[in-house]
Amino acid sequence: MRVNHCYVSVGDRRSHVLHGDGLIDTLFLHGAGGSAWTFEATIDALPRTLGWASADLLGYGDSSWIENRDYSSAAQAEQLTAVIDRLGLRRVRVVGFSWGGLIALELAKRDRRVDRIAVIDIPPSSSRSALELPPLRGTFRTAADGVEAVMAIAPGAAPEVAEREAFLSTAPCPEGFQKKIDPALLVRWQFQDEDHWETWRRNERETLLVRGQHSSVLSGEDAGRMIGLGTRVVLAEIAGCGHLVPLERPRELASVLGRFLA
């Protein structure tokens, strides 16, 4: 897979974007703790005709940190609207994993250029507060420690996928390696205090809802409610994986997305 890099600056905020060759028609958004590289194995398995881009959310990877720590879905969507402007996109499909799915919803609400969305393994609201996070590590003594941390949250990931995720989402530091992330995002996930049910109900775009069969984040009950409230929603369940669908079942996810985006 050929990967190009570009940066989009809006005021004092800079977004790092990966993209393939040719025209871009699909934008990928990672989840909390991830990066633009989270979709690497999925994108590599997609049809070559897809014109893709994948963005580091603000606070992650090589994108800017937000000075006032307003890491809301709305703030991320505002920045991504500017990214779409600068990339000159007249029509774009948005694929969002976990928190990225909520940002995709928010982006579709405010930007008519978004013509369909895929929401991967996230309900419109969480039962957890912004401060209730799973155990997160910001530094790792060795590269192997970083890979072990990925495997702990995505036990079904192939070793090579876990190694790439660990390598591409960290940078060297005096202690060994550190996550390329604003430390504020290791202690607070603002989106868990948000409620997007009304946005989901009002969404009229073609929408794909993807759930990992053993997900601990998107329950079968919530997925059923989302299907019942949605107007143009189809559900796809990926067998044999938990929440980290892009890492645990990238080829299966690519197959589902390929049919939806065709």
Side-chain angles (χ1 to χ4, degrees), residues 52-223:
W52 65 273
S54 186
D56 278 328
L57 299 178
L58 294 172
Y60 290 94
D62 294 317
S63 289
S64 298
W65 297 358
I66 298 179
E67 187 174 354
N68 66 3
R69 304 296 169 82
D70 173 23
Y71 287 109
S72 64
S73 299
Q76 297 282 4
E78 181 180 0
Q79 177 74 7
L80 289 165
T81 295
V83 169
I84 292 171
D85 285 340
R86 299 296 175 83
L87 293 177
L89 308 184
R90 296 183 178 180
R91 169 182 172 273
V92 64
R93 294 86 61 88
V94 182
V95 177
F97 164 61
S98 196
W99 180 24
L102 300 183
I103 298 168
L105 270 177
E106 185 69 24
L107 187 58
K109 182 176 74 172
R110 62 176 64 205
D111 197 321
R112 293 182 178 275
R113 291 169 295 183
V114 177
D115 75 344
R116 68 178 70 177
I117 59 174
V119 175
I120 303 171
D121 214 75
I122 189 79
S125 68
S126 174
S127 60
R128 297 179 177 180
S129 76
L131 298 176
E132 291 181 84
L133 275 64
L136 294 173
R137 294 174 59 188
T139 60
F140 308 97
R141 186 174 56 85
T142 66
D145 288 341
V147 176
E148 183 178 339
V150 174
M151 294 299 294
I153 60 173
E160 61 271 19
V161 173
E163 288 172 6
R164 288 286 290 173
E165 176 70 9
F167 174 74
L168 292 167
S169 64
T170 59
C173 71
E175 294 80 15
F177 298 88
Q178 63 184 8
K179 289 280 287 184
K180 297 169 72 174
I181 182 174
D182 183 339
L185 290 163
L186 294 172
V187 296
R188 185 171 187 266
W189 288 350
Q190 187 172 340
F191 69 90
Q192 290 188 156
D193 282 343
E194 300 172 354
D195 188 328
H196 295 269
W197 279 106
E198 184 63 16
T199 302
W200 177 267
R201 187 183 69 80
R202 289 178 177 272
N203 172 44
E204 296 181 347
R205 290 169 174 79
E206 287 187 57
T207 301
L208 172 67
L209 177 62
V210 179
R211 178 177 182 265
Q213 182 185 14
H214 306 300
S215 174
S216 60
V217 174
L218 177 59
S219 68
E221 181 181 2
D222 278 340

